Amino acid sequence: ETPEEVTKKIRKYAALGLYQAGELSIGAACELAAMDRYSFLDFCKEEGVLLRTQTPEELESDFKKYTAK
């Protein structure tokens, strides 16, 4: 693997772990992993990580972040 591939893998698994621990919302985890939401959700499923329901605050934060672009 190239250093870039290793870096990408580290970011994916870091995002997965932080999402699973409840430290990141799904939107923030996708951003850290540099993946779209559906790809990240598929990755969670492949790794056996249960999906958390977003709180209204997380949804609002994600909405504001992504509509500001």
Side-chain angles (χ1 to χ4, degrees), residues 6-21:
V6 171
T7 299
K8 188 174 183 177
K9 186 182 284 189
I10 290 169
R11 290 178 65 96
K12 280 175 58 173
Y13 280 98
L16 183 71
L18 291 168
Y19 171 72
Q20 187 175 23

Side-chain angles (χ1 to χ4, degrees), residues 12-61:
K12 280 175 58 173
Y13 280 98
L16 183 71
L18 291 168
Y19 171 72
Q20 187 175 23
E23 296 294 322
L24 291 180
S25 68
I26 190 75
C30 292
E31 191 171 323
L32 176 60
M35 300 173 77
D36 66 75
R37 185 176 297 251
Y38 298 108
S39 297
F40 187 75
L41 292 173
D42 283 342
F43 179 59
C44 288
K45 184 178 177 183
E46 291 167 10
E47 295 298 319
V49 172
L50 297 176
L51 302 179
R52 295 185 308 110
T53 302
Q54 283 186 289
T55 65
E57 293 80 19
E58 289 173 329
L59 288 170
E60 185 175 347
S61 173

